[in-house]
Amino acid sequence: MTTWLDLPEDTLFGIDNLPYGVFSTADDPQRRRLGVAIGPWVLDAGAAARAVGSPDPLLEAASLDPLLAAGRAAWTRVRDALTRWLSEPAFRAVVEPCLVPRADVALHLPFTVGDYVDFYASEHHATNLGRLFRPDSEPLTPNWKHLPIGYHGRSGTVVVSGTPIVRPNGQRKAPTEAVPSFGPSRRLDIEAEVGFVVGAGSELGTAVPMADFAEHVFGVCLVNDWSARDIQGWEYVPLGPFLGKSFATSVSPWVVPLDALAPAARVAPPARDVEPLPYLDDRDAKEPWGLDLALEVRLNGTVISRPPFAGMYWTPAQMLAHMTVNGASVRPGDLYASGTVSGPDRGTEGALIELTWNGERPTELGDGTSRGFLEDGDEVTITATAPGPNGRRLGFGEVTGRVLPARS
Amino acid sequence: MTTWLDLPEDTLFGIDNLPYGVFSTADDPQRRRLGVAIGPWVLDAGAAARAVGSPDPLLEAASLDPLLAAGRAAWTRVRDALTRWLSEPAFRAVVEPCLVPRADVALHLPFTVGDYVDFYASEHHATNLGRLFRPDSEPLTPNWKHLPIGYHGRSGTVVVSGTPIVRPNGQRKAPTEAVPSFGPSRRLDIEAEVGFVVGAGSELGTAVPMADFAEHVFGVCLVNDWSARDIQGWEYVPLGPFLGKSFATSVSPWVVPLDALAPAARVAPPARDVEPLPYLDDRDAKEPWGLDLALEVRLNGTVISRPPFAGMYWTPAQMLAHMTVNGASVRPGDLYASGTVSGPDRGTEGALIELTWNGERPTELGDGTSRGFLEDGDEVTITATAPGPNGRRLGFGEVTGRVLPARS
């Protein structure tokens, strides 16, 4: 597949990617439009459809919501059309005027978030956190290899990349303290994650099997699940993380369609050393949904970590099957994230608490300072790429956010 | 306050209550309308406003969403108007035709649920559950009296009273078993709770103090947080309940406005035996938000429990203050529930696991059978009343649901 656009060979937003987002321009900031990223441009998708004489209500919406709800057949049709318009020279004259420089647009939360679920699918992350939070127990809980552990997060505080993050206040109590104190979190952290955006919904009372993953999941984005470790550590027993997470979760503005990730980005997940129950058993699946995403975490411009998604123990297809096996329904706009992506090696941890081992070995930044946890003013940016066709790479854009001081 | 309607003295839906709901009638089942319950009728609120010559867009909506978002001043104005139309005889001729017999309407989920949070605010419930789930530890975790413990539930599976509940499948593992098995939950339970419906939203990054509770919370409903104890017991460490809860949460169709509960239903909460941090300290508050609701739980028609809400350790104002103290925003339609309401005495437990002590002392039903946990076909109905003006009582209607067999 080639495009009539003159793009650099190594662009991460080539014709094989075409991630979806919602943008506005300075001349009409209230008008949100659906677009796909290509090279340094955004294609105004609704305008392009009109220009080629095939206006499409799904592309005229101010968010991805109608397209998400339309289901797999519509996703294929729309992607095929956009690909054609950007690759067949006959369309160039009418489509080219629908390109807007990416540098000139504001990007918005691309869909209305339904339920937000966060999993815990990296064995390395779960092991590290277990050691840090429960030093006197086995790091992995007995259930960990039997099911993808997850919990519901706060969907109302999912924000688009670039939204400032106000340092949360809350109750903090170190093990050595007798009673909790109140104040700004002193251990503000990140979690570099990959998010899965549900399109087509399911019926209440009915499970979604792993094989139906691609019928329900529309695409993939990047997630930074900001975490206040001191608040989390004090509150999370017995009902799980709450205020330590709910102040903000940032997502990247571009949603990479699942179609862009097949087949080059698919990899076999790790060997299952505990036999999975049948609804989670992907050992004989022709196409398990391991994904070879390479993440990169930058703190104030310095790369501090390169977490590999390919090693995640649980795949997003297993997560969806588990999340619905009790009959829970999914809706268009539901977002579920992988949990922190951490690899086995130093420099592949997706959270500061692991990377700096609870602040004991601060990570060095390019400006000569170092960090155990985040300071006010710090800016964290997570990016990712995946293999695409013909040895090219696909980009996911970035999710970024800067820490503002706590409010009193 | 009296009404020109001829209502029985002991009606639970008197002129002082006027709970809001969304209804349709058989002649036009697709048309959802906003109504208030009064005696055995529903007043079609939009039609009444038109009939008196004051059409109101907030009352023409197909859900409570616009009214919720409109805020406290609008809530007061609308309630005052409805009360006037139903009490001043001059309005009778035009308003009476807007009454529909309650027996003739279908009731719907009255608002779009934003985030759903479930608290854990009964000391008796938390103590009982601690004993049952963690027999080797102190029943109350060290944080319990320092903060209202809560977690996010699944908002997409909040259903209106009457929706059948499909028994969930899932992973179950008794402590005596080596590995989990998969199948229908064998310990399906209820949780009798009180829910708080957020109206006016708050800004991300800004806490909502206890004193602003009534500016943000619109009203109160009943909640049955169905729970699969075997699934929950296996999955919930370390990130909290997930599939043991997410298959369904039922809510009553009527939302009792906060205004109906002041002042007769307000009571002092229990003594705080641990000094609360200032943002949770209601010991000197003129009007702490303890609420004197009397719940009743029926299983297949037999009253099995009468949980008292007045003894809840944490008030809904404290819950809101805690939920937002980290800067998390609330939105119109957010729902937060109290957690199971359990009193200190036998017969006041809000969940079967407590009432039957994990099935060891089954509860007797009127038909000669007994239950440890729920069987297929069982119907559970939760009702509640609260003191109203002049010694009358206000009703909350009911939340009911019948258990259907698991799907394979």
Side-chain angles (χ1 to χ4, degrees):
Chain A
M1 200 58 70
T2 54
T3 170
W4 42 256
L5 274 159
D6 185 25
L7 300 182
E9 240 329 278
D10 61 350
T11 180
L12 296 173
F13 284 154
I15 185 72
D16 304 307
N17 191 348
L18 300 185
Y20 292 90
V22 171
F23 71 99
S24 61
T25 47
D27 59 324
D28 193 356
Q30 295 310 310
R31 188 159 74 95
R32 296 192 178 187
R33 289 177 274 173
L34 204 152
V36 289
I38 179 137
W41 291 281
V42 179
L43 178 70
D44 182 329
R50 274 177 269 126
V52 304
S54 308
D56 187 338
L58 296 178
L59 301 181
E60 297 290 342
S63 81
L64 285 178
D65 297 358
L67 181 60
L68 293 180
R72 169 57 54 194
W75 306 338
T76 301
R77 174 178 61 75
V78 165
R79 181 171 166 83
D80 286 351
L82 289 164
T83 304
R84 225 165 45 243
W85 304 338
L86 287 166
S87 55
E88 294 179 13
F91 288 113
R92 177 169 190 163
V94 292
V95 170
E96 197 158 22
C98 306
L99 294 169
V100 185
R102 281 226 317 274
D104 293 350
V105 306
L107 293 167
H108 306 280
L109 194 63
F111 57 95
T112 307
V113 181
D115 272 297
Y116 166 51
V117 165
D118 199 20
F119 283 93
Y120 194 53
S122 157
E123 182 174 357
H124 310 293
H125 171 69
T127 302
N128 287 335
L129 269 276
R131 287 201 181 111
L132 288 162
F133 274 92
R134 295 175 297 280
D136 302 326
S137 315
E138 280 294 310
L140 283 190
T141 50
N143 52 11
W144 200 91
K145 290 203 170 175
H146 291 277
L147 50 82
I149 291 177
Y151 69 103
H152 287 91
R154 191 163 188 83
S155 61
T157 53
V158 174
V159 297
V160 73
S161 175
T163 306
I165 304 303
V166 178
R167 180 181 295 272
N169 290 306
Q171 294 196 22
R172 316 148 307 182
K173 193 186 90 58
T176 52
E177 294 167 336
V179 292
S181 63
F182 180 84
S185 171
R186 292 178 286 223
R187 298 204 288 144
L188 184 60
D189 199 354
I190 60 161
E191 296 201 329
E193 308 196 7
V194 175
F196 300 89
V197 180
V198 173
S202 67
E203 191 200 342
L204 187 65
T206 305
V208 177
M210 282 189 297
D212 289 357
F213 171 69
E215 294 300 309
H216 290 275
V217 168
F218 173 81
V220 180
C221 62
L222 301 178
V223 175
N224 185 350
D225 190 36
W226 305 90
S227 299
R229 300 299 180 189
D230 39 4
I231 297 172
Q232 179 186 356
W234 168 233
E235 76 179 354
Y236 90 105
V237 176
L239 299 186
F242 185 36
L243 299 190
K245 303 279 194 169
S246 65
F247 54 97
T249 304
S250 301
V251 296
S252 60
W254 296 110
V255 180
V256 174
L258 221 54
D259 287 332
L261 299 175
R266 310 256 306 253
V267 290
R272 311 298 179 191
D273 43 10
V274 167
E275 182 169 13
L277 282 160
Y279 77 98
L280 293 173
D281 193 351
D282 63 356
R283 293 173 300 175
D284 292 331
K286 258 194 229 125
E287 298 190 312
W289 272 98
L291 288 171
D292 186 18
L293 275 56
L295 278 67
E296 193 169 270
V297 182
R298 277 178 289 139
L299 174 47
N300 298 342
T302 300
V303 175
I304 59 169
S305 179
R306 291 193 171 85
F309 192 75
M312 299 293 276
Y313 193 87
W314 298 105
T315 73
Q318 290 173 314
M319 296 176 204
L320 180 65
H322 184 63
M323 185 162 60
T324 60
V325 76
N326 67 345
S329 48
V330 291
R331 292 174 288 174
D334 281 354
L335 171 69
Y336 65 95
S338 60
T340 306
V341 183
S342 288
D345 304 317
R346 287 286 290 269
T348 65
E349 302 93 338
L352 287 170
I353 192 172
E354 299 167 74
L355 184 70
T356 72
W357 208 252
N358 212 5
E360 290 169 19
R361 49 175 204 219
T363 191
E364 309 292 328
L365 304 185
D367 63 1
T369 66
S370 66
R371 292 291 183 281
F373 290 96
L374 296 175
E375 297 185 0
D376 292 345
D378 280 353
E379 184 175 66
V380 177
T381 303
I382 303 165
T383 58
T385 63
N390 306 314
R392 291 196 290 257
R393 290 196 78 78
L394 309 171
F396 288 73
E398 66 176 31
V399 55
T400 189
R402 187 182 291 278
V403 177
L404 299 185
R407 295 184 188 161
S408 60
Chain B
M1 202 56 71
T2 55
T3 170
W4 42 257
L5 274 158
D6 185 23
L7 300 181
E9 240 328 278
D10 61 350
T11 181
L12 295 173
F13 284 155
I15 186 73
D16 304 308
N17 192 348
L18 300 185
Y20 292 89
V22 171
F23 72 100
S24 61
T25 49
D27 59 321
D28 193 356
Q30 295 310 310
R31 189 160 73 96
R32 297 194 176 185
R33 289 177 274 170
L34 204 152
V36 290
I38 178 137
W41 291 280
V42 179
L43 178 70
D44 182 329
R50 274 176 270 124
V52 304
S54 306
D56 187 337
L58 295 178
L59 301 181
E60 297 289 343
S63 81
L64 285 178
D65 297 358
L67 181 60
L68 293 180
R72 171 55 57 193
W75 307 338
T76 302
R77 173 177 62 74
V78 166
R79 182 171 165 83
D80 287 350
L82 289 163
T83 305
R84 224 166 44 242
W85 302 339
L86 287 165
S87 56
E88 295 179 13
F91 287 113
R92 179 169 190 162
V94 292
V95 170
E96 199 159 22
C98 305
L99 294 169
V100 184
R102 281 227 314 277
D104 294 351
V105 305
L107 293 167
H108 305 280
L109 194 63
F111 56 95
T112 307
V113 181
D115 272 297
Y116 166 51
V117 166
D118 199 19
F119 283 92
Y120 194 52
S122 158
E123 182 175 357
H124 310 294
H125 171 69
T127 303
N128 287 335
L129 270 274
R131 289 202 180 109
L132 289 161
F133 275 92
R134 295 175 297 280
D136 302 327
S137 314
E138 280 293 311
L140 284 189
T141 49
N143 52 12
W144 200 91
K145 291 204 170 175
H146 291 277
L147 51 83
I149 291 176
Y151 69 103
H152 287 90
R154 192 163 186 82
S155 62
T157 54
V158 174
V159 296
V160 72
S161 176
T163 306
I165 305 302
V166 178
R167 181 181 296 272
N169 290 308
Q171 295 196 24
R172 315 149 306 181
K173 194 186 90 57
T176 53
E177 295 167 335
V179 292
S181 63
F182 181 83
S185 171
R186 295 179 285 224
R187 299 204 286 144
L188 184 59
D189 199 355
I190 60 161
E191 296 202 327
E193 309 196 8
V194 174
F196 300 90
V197 180
V198 173
S202 68
E203 191 199 342
L204 187 64
T206 305
V208 178
M210 284 189 295
D212 289 355
F213 171 69
E215 295 300 310
H216 290 275
V217 169
F218 173 80
V220 180
C221 64
L222 301 178
V223 176
N224 185 350
D225 189 37
W226 306 89
S227 298
R229 300 300 180 189
D230 40 5
I231 297 172
Q232 181 186 355
W234 169 232
E235 75 179 355
Y236 89 105
V237 176
L239 299 186
F242 186 35
L243 299 189
K245 303 279 193 169
S246 65
F247 55 97
T249 304
S250 301
V251 296
S252 59
W254 296 111
V255 180
V256 174
L258 220 55
D259 287 332
L261 299 175
R266 308 254 310 253
V267 291
R272 310 297 179 191
D273 41 11
V274 167
E275 181 168 14
L277 282 161
Y279 77 98
L280 292 173
D281 193 351
D282 62 357
R283 294 173 300 174
D284 291 332
K286 261 196 223 123
E287 298 191 312
W289 273 97
L291 288 170
D292 186 17
L293 274 57
L295 278 66
E296 193 170 89
V297 182
R298 277 178 289 141
L299 175 47
N300 298 343
T302 300
V303 175
I304 58 168
S305 180
R306 291 192 170 85
F309 191 76
M312 299 293 276
Y313 193 87
W314 298 105
T315 73
Q318 289 172 314
M319 295 175 205
L320 180 65
H322 184 62
M323 185 162 60
T324 60
V325 76
N326 67 344
S329 48
V330 290
R331 290 175 288 174
D334 281 354
L335 171 69
Y336 65 95
S338 59
T340 306
V341 183
S342 289
D345 304 318
R346 288 284 289 269
T348 65
E349 303 93 337
L352 287 171
I353 192 172
E354 299 168 72
L355 183 70
T356 72
W357 208 250
N358 213 6
E360 290 170 19
R361 51 174 203 221
T363 190
E364 308 291 330
L365 304 186
D367 64 0
T369 65
S370 66
R371 292 290 183 282
F373 290 96
L374 296 176
E375 298 185 359
D376 291 345
D378 280 354
E379 184 176 66
V380 177
T381 303
I382 303 165
T383 58
T385 63
N390 306 316
R392 291 195 289 257
R393 290 195 76 79
L394 309 171
F396 288 74
E398 65 177 31
V399 56
T400 190
R402 186 182 292 278
V403 177
L404 299 184
R407 295 183 187 162
S408 59

